[in-house]
């Protein structure tokens, strides 16, 4: 493992106080690449994440953009800034009208990273236009800010002509880049939903919009436990996930499973939120459908229901608890043992 760490990180790391730390020493302390990938939710490479060495907290997720935009290090240490400061400046409507970013104040804001060349983006935009209309018609204060990843201004103009909201001008590449850096955008389409103070409500706006076509749950505060669907299955790749498989043909089985898991999920989420860290697990209930069948086949899981699992796709590892009855005590012990690294993984 020391060799693998050295390949990625080099022979030494330099701590904030200037002390050199051998990578092999880190490996000897049990630091692994997979733990780093999971801890910082890395979904693609290359990725460069800046961390405060004294606290271990993330300073900036999009380090590659930082060193591109600020090669002289004039903005060091590149810590996060308020949304209102990063977005400050003129915004556009597709009519050509301009308005100041201060017009967003007091509204929920969806920061929409998208591009015309991206088919999933265009599909989401069609749904999002309808969602935007419904939310506005319901009297909610909501605006969407388009942050383009288009490859030309002509493409931007063509795409933006379909949108009833506002955009950062295409020519303001610096501001677009700062918004990408602020939210650590690693792929598109991404919809970040902010509250009226500019704080993040959810980074999973895309999933929420697709799962809530009528927008009844706007502004989509995160749920501790999700029902696994085609639209949110992509989250299985974001880190370890507890998935409780149930027989959805039994009326109320999925809801009962959610109620069983929820107190444990809430406890874990609150514990890590108090440390200003993301929870190390996502929590799902999976019923009986084609997507769940495909997941079982891919991970080579038994057909039993209920079946309690933790799936770590990036590590290609699974942890399985196959018992006749799933109780809160069993779930809590299973989660605790996983977090304490007491469980033996099986390969996916």
């Amino acid at each position: 493992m020391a060799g693998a760490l050295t390949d990625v990180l080099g022979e030494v790391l330099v701590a904030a106080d200037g002390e050199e730390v051998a990578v092999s020493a880190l490996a000897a302390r049990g630091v692994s690449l997979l733990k780093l990938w999971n801890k910082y939710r890395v979904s693609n490479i290359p990725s460069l994440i800046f961390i405060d060495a004294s606290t271990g907290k993330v300073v900036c997720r999009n380090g590659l953009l930082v060193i591109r935009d600020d090669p002289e290090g004039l903005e060091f240490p590149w810590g996060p800034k308020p949304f209102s400061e990063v977005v400050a400046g003129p915004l556009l409507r597709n009519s050509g009208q301009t308005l100041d970013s201060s017009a967003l104040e007091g509204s929920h804001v969806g920061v929409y990273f998208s591009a015309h060349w991206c088919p999933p983006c265009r599909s989401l935009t069609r749904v999002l236009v309808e969602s935007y209309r419904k939310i506005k018609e319901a009297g909610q204060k909501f605006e969407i800010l388009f942050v383009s990843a288009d490859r030309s201004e002509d493409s931007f103009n063509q795409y933006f002509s379909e949108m009833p909201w506002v955009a950062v001008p295409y020519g303001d590449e610096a501001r677009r880049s700062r918004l990408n850096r602020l939210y650590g955008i690693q792929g598109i389409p991404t919809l970040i939903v902010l509250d009226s103070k500019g704080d993040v409500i959810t980074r999973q706006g895309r999933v929420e919009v697709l799962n809530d076509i009528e927008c009844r749950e706007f502004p989509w505060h995160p749920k501790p436990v999700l029902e696994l669907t085609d639209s949110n299955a992509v989250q299985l790749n974001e880190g370890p996930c507890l998935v409780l498989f149930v027989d959805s043909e039994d009326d109320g089985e999925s809801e009962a499973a959610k109620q069983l898991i929820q107190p444990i999920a809430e406890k874990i989420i609150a514990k890590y939120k108090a440390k200003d860290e993301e929870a190390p697990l996502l929590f799902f209930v999976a019923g009986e459908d084609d997507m769940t069948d495909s997941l079982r086949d891919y991970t080579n899981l038994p057909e039993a229901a209920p079946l309690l699992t933790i799936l770590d796709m990036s590590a290609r590892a699974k942890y399985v608890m196959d018992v006749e009855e799933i109780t809160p005590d069993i779930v809590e012990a299973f989660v605790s043992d996983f977090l304490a690294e007491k469980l033996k993984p099986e390969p996916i």
Side-chain angles (χ1 to χ4, degrees):
M1 181 58 68
L5 281 166
T6 302
D7 289 344
V8 176
L9 300 177
E11 293 293 338
V12 297
L13 300 176
V14 180
D17 59 5
E19 178 186 0
E20 291 187 348
V21 180
V23 171
S24 58
L26 288 177
R29 295 172 196 171
V31 177
S32 75
L33 288 176
L34 289 175
K35 288 180 186 176
L36 291 173
W37 278 67
N38 288 335
K39 181 176 178 61
Y40 299 113
R41 300 285 172 90
V42 175
S43 59
N44 57 31
I45 55 173
S47 287
L48 177 61
I49 299 172
F50 293 112
I51 300 164
D52 184 331
S54 63
T55 65
K57 293 181 179 179
V58 172
V59 172
C60 176
R61 292 188 177 277
N62 261 5
L64 295 175
L65 284 180
V66 166
I67 59 176
R68 187 196 73 180
D69 296 346
D70 185 26
E72 302 299 323
L74 300 178
E75 298 179 28
F76 182 83
W78 305 304
K81 297 177 180 178
F83 169 71
S84 59
E85 181 178 338
V86 176
V87 78
L91 303 177
L92 290 177
R93 292 202 179 276
N94 60 18
S95 63
Q97 176 192 1
T98 62
L99 66 161
D100 189 77
S101 58
S102 59
L104 300 176
E105 293 175 5
S107 295
H108 287 85
V109 177
V111 189
Y112 184 37
F113 298 86
S114 186
H116 186 264
W117 53 262
C118 163
C121 294
R122 296 198 303 274
S123 296
L124 179 60
T125 296
R126 288 191 288 272
V127 177
L128 192 55
V129 166
E130 288 303 307
S131 298
Y132 178 79
R133 179 183 59 78
K134 290 172 184 175
I135 293 167
K136 300 284 274 189
E137 288 178 353
Q140 299 271 15
K141 296 189 72 175
F142 181 52
E143 192 53 77
I144 293 177
L145 175 66
F146 173 40
V147 183
S148 174
D150 286 297
R151 294 164 177 163
S152 71
E153 189 157 11
D154 286 343
S155 293
F156 164 78
N157 289 333
Q158 179 184 350
Y159 194 29
F160 186 40
S161 69
E162 305 168 12
M163 302 178 182
W165 44 73
V166 299
V168 176
Y170 184 78
D172 195 343
E173 185 176 354
R175 192 160 32 140
R176 290 192 287 124
S177 183
R178 286 195 297 270
L179 285 162
N180 273 270
R181 284 163 46 187
L182 178 63
Y183 298 114
I185 302 303
Q186 297 189 35
I188 56 173
T190 294
L191 178 66
I192 310 286
V193 181
L194 311 179
D195 65 17
S196 58
K197 297 179 181 178
D199 296 326
V200 174
I201 293 176
T202 179
R203 299 178 59 86
Q204 300 296 335
R206 174 191 183 184
V207 171
E208 299 293 352
V209 165
L210 294 175
N211 280 347
D212 183 25
I213 297 297
E214 297 303 320
C215 306
R216 293 190 178 97
E217 298 181 5
F218 176 82
W220 303 302
H221 289 280
K223 299 181 182 69
V225 182
L226 298 174
E227 188 163 349
L228 192 62
T229 64
D230 288 335
S231 59
N232 66 25
V234 66
Q235 292 178 257
L236 293 173
N237 295 313
E238 294 184 3
C241 299
L242 182 142
V243 184
L244 175 54
F245 293 86
V246 298
D247 181 2
S248 59
E249 294 180 1
D250 184 349
D251 291 343
E253 186 74 16
S254 291
E255 189 57 37
K258 288 183 191 176
Q259 295 302 318
L260 185 151
I261 294 175
Q262 183 153 326
I264 297 142
E266 289 175 342
K267 181 178 177 180
I268 294 293
I269 291 167
K271 176 182 176 181
Y272 283 85
K273 185 176 181 180
K275 299 189 290 184
D276 198 24
E277 295 180 8
E278 292 188 36
L281 274 174
L282 298 177
F283 295 83
F284 292 90
V285 169
E288 291 291 334
D289 54 33
D290 290 343
M291 191 277 297
T292 300
D293 289 343
S294 295
L295 178 61
R296 282 184 185 265
D297 290 343
Y298 177 74
T299 54
N300 196 27
L301 289 171
E303 291 298 323
L307 182 68
L308 183 62
T309 68
I310 291 174
L311 305 177
D312 188 345
M313 296 302 193
S314 62
R316 297 190 62 81
K318 64 185 177 186
Y319 307 82
V320 181
M321 176 71 70
D322 187 1
V323 294
E324 285 190 13
E325 182 181 4
I326 306 293
T327 66
D329 288 343
I330 286 175
V331 176
E332 187 154 15
F334 187 54
V335 170
S336 296
D337 286 347
F338 171 77
L339 296 177
E341 301 181 20
K342 294 180 179 178
L343 301 179
K344 184 178 180 180
E346 301 174 44
I348 290 179

